[in-house]
Amino acid sequence: MTGYPPGCAFFDGRFCAIEDARISVLDWGFLRSDATYDVVHVWKGRFFRLDRHLDRFFASAETLKLAIPHSRDAVAAILAECVRRSGLEDAYVEMVITRGVSPTFSRDPRDAVNRFFAFAIPFGWILRPQEREAGLAVAVARTQRIGAASVDPTVKNYHWLDLVMGLYEAYDKGAGTVVLPDDAGNVTEGPGFNIFAVRDGRVATPAAGVLHGITRLSALELLAEAGIATETRAVPLDELRAADEIFATSTAGGIMPVTSLDGSPVGDGRPGPVTRDLIAAYWVAHARPDWSTAVADPAATEPTG
């Protein structure tokens, strides 16, 4: 069958080809976006910050009252086995828990049987390395990000209609991606990435209304190690527009320069010095033993199947 990437999935207690991994049309994850997930990447055979991703996945499931039917160590082993069976050295590895299906199609979420699955596919990029010098062309949308009081943005979720509608606004402006404001005119985030502004050598990133991305965390820690002043706080749109540099952070691509905002160049229209140094430090950090784990390591509790 065509149309599927190479990879391996874990579904219903067994490993299978990606094209054989399917959920029911009655699953609340499909019908109502009632699910949480997390994505960790593997680079050169090593998971990057796996512990942090597992922390967030289990915390998100607890917040949403979803029961993951495997221990933390078992989930790590499942992810590792998906990667090994896929044969991929660089991979995008996703773990998902959905509300599942009620045996009686009850409307009570407590009656649903939660469903866990995972898969590994080739590493995916928002911005490919060969595109890094050109950077991202970003537009600011009129569409506002879903309020944090309605959907907790720190719980990774599939509630993306605001982001998708924002993307169409960006495309209409000739941009490749988008950032959304909140109702107070502050920056929030984009589809799958956090945003940072650099002004006079100081770095700021939104504190509220955003996913606390693991790459965001890595960037903040690397900037602190480099002695660069950083702040997590409200970032008004005007401040973003006046920035010397802007960069985005995501598991799907790492540190990504933003070189155009609403059709105008950011700085001189090229990646700035803070962004360049951070990109280099980020990829070097993939070999840090405190931040990365060999794919072989989580296999001690390998599940059967």
Side-chain angles (χ1 to χ4, degrees):
M1 182 179 293
T2 61
Y4 292 95
C8 175
F10 179 83
F11 255 77
D12 296 335
R14 67 182 184 89
F15 295 97
C16 63
I18 291 291
E19 56 265 33
D20 295 328
R22 299 183 175 95
I23 66 170
S24 168
V25 295
L26 300 181
D27 193 302
W28 282 34
F30 170 72
L31 290 177
R32 301 180 184 176
S33 296
D34 190 349
T36 190
Y37 71 105
D38 221 289
V39 179
V40 59
H41 73 257
V42 169
W43 189 252
K44 299 188 184 306
R46 297 182 69 85
F47 283 104
F48 187 62
R49 313 215 73 172
L50 176 60
D51 284 346
R52 292 289 189 171
H53 285 279
L54 289 170
D55 286 346
R56 186 171 64 183
F57 182 55
F58 275 81
S60 295
E62 183 177 3
T63 298
L64 298 183
K65 303 186 184 301
L66 293 164
I68 299 169
H70 303 283
S71 70
R72 180 191 174 96
D73 286 346
V75 170
I78 288 166
L79 300 181
E81 186 65 11
C82 283
V83 177
R84 278 194 296 274
R85 293 191 182 211
S86 75
L88 297 167
E89 186 179 26
D90 306 322
Y92 174 106
V93 189
E94 186 159 337
M95 58 200 104
V96 184
I97 181 79
T98 74
R99 189 69 60 192
V101 177
S102 164
T104 61
F105 200 49
S106 164
R107 296 179 65 86
D108 187 334
R110 296 170 298 180
D111 294 336
V113 179
N114 301 165
R115 190 175 197 188
F116 169 85
F117 56 91
F119 59 86
I121 57 176
F123 188 90
W125 300 88
I126 293 175
L127 184 72
R128 295 181 180 277
Q130 61 268 31
E131 301 167 333
R132 202 174 283 149
E133 189 65 24
L136 291 170
V138 174
V140 176
R142 294 185 305 276
T143 301
Q144 294 177 3
R145 190 72 173 105
I146 296 172
S150 298
V151 175
D152 184 351
T154 67
V155 174
K156 203 165 174 68
N157 63 71
Y158 293 116
H159 298 283
W160 270 44
L161 278 180
D162 53 347
L163 295 167
V164 171
M165 292 299 97
L167 274 172
Y168 276 98
E169 289 186 52
Y171 299 152
D172 288 343
K173 295 178 179 180
T177 192
V178 71
V179 292
L180 270 58
D182 63 17
D183 60 0
N186 296 312
V187 181
T188 63
E189 59 191 348
F193 61 82
N194 293 109
I195 201 83
F196 288 72
V198 184
R199 180 73 172 176
D200 298 328
R202 300 180 65 87
V203 182
T205 193
V210 301
L211 178 72
H212 292 174
I214 307 304
T215 311
R216 171 184 181 268
L217 171 67
S218 300
L220 289 168
E221 292 178 347
L222 290 168
L223 289 165
E225 289 176 9
I228 295 173
T230 62
E231 297 177 299
T232 55
R233 56 168 172 79
V235 178
L237 287 172
D238 286 347
E239 180 178 342
L240 187 71
R241 294 186 174 109
D244 300 323
E245 302 176 43
I246 302 172
F247 61 87
T249 60
S250 175
T251 294
I255 314 300
M256 301 170 289
V258 175
T259 54
S260 172
L261 185 68
D262 284 337
S264 297
V266 176
D268 63 3
R270 296 178 297 177
V274 172
T275 304
R276 288 184 188 277
D277 289 349
L278 184 59
I279 289 169
Y282 174 77
W283 290 105
V284 168
H286 280 63
R288 287 173 59 155
D290 56 334
W291 282 15
S292 65
T293 310
V295 167
D297 291 348
T301 56
E302 179 182 329
T304 59

